[in-house]
Amino acid sequence: MCMDNPGTIEVLSKLKQLHLQIAVVTNGFTKVQHKNLEDCNLLQYIDRIITSEEAGVSKPDKRIFEISLDKCSVAKGDVVMIGDSLTNDIEGTTVISKPIELLEII
């Protein structure tokens, strides 16, 4: 199910033009999350999807974020976390990310 979030495609497109790697770290099943991103026309912008099913731990456990760093071959200081849940998306990221953005999705 896709939410109407104006500007999402434009932002992702601009990030790709800047040659930035985009990863999705999500609680859920790999097959379902791939389908969700595909159905929302977002999959083409995503370089990596790290799911709790694949990682063996769920957000906000910091290990899923550490696993995502490893899978993306990036250093802690080179990451910006953007999320919509203070608990699930932001709480565990202090181990990997300094500037943290919290987006409210209505």
Side-chain angles (χ1 to χ4, degrees):
M1 175 177 12
C2 299
M3 295 179 74
D4 184 23
N5 292 305
T8 300
I9 300 256
E10 292 82 0
V11 169
L12 291 172
S13 180
K14 182 63 175 177
L15 293 173
K16 292 313 291 180
Q17 289 172 13
L18 295 171
H19 305 288
L20 297 174
Q21 184 176 188
I22 300 171
V24 172
V25 180
T26 179
N27 289 337
F29 297 103
T30 304
K31 187 175 181 178
V32 172
Q33 298 303 336
H34 274 267
K35 175 123 177 59
N36 288 343
L37 290 167
E38 184 176 23
D39 290 349
C40 295
N41 297 314
L42 299 176
L43 193 56
Q44 64 185 324
Y45 301 101
I46 308 302
D47 297 300
R48 302 268 186 291
I49 302 170
I50 297 92
T51 65
S52 56
E53 174 187 36
E54 163 188 324
V57 292
S58 297
K59 299 184 298 181
D61 189 311
K62 69 179 184 176
R63 291 175 292 174
I64 194 169
F65 299 107
E66 292 168 338
I67 289 166
S68 69
L69 287 175
D70 185 54
K71 288 193 173 287
C72 295
S73 300
V74 294
K76 291 178 186 181
D78 295 335
V79 174
V80 175
M81 174 64 183
I82 300 173
D84 64 349
S85 168
L86 183 59
T87 302
N88 285 337
D89 296 327
I90 306 305
E91 190 176 290
T93 63
T94 55
V95 103
I96 67 157
S97 172
K98 270 291 177 185
I100 296 175
E101 297 293 327
L102 178 64
L103 301 180
E104 183 175 317
I105 297 178
I106 298 173

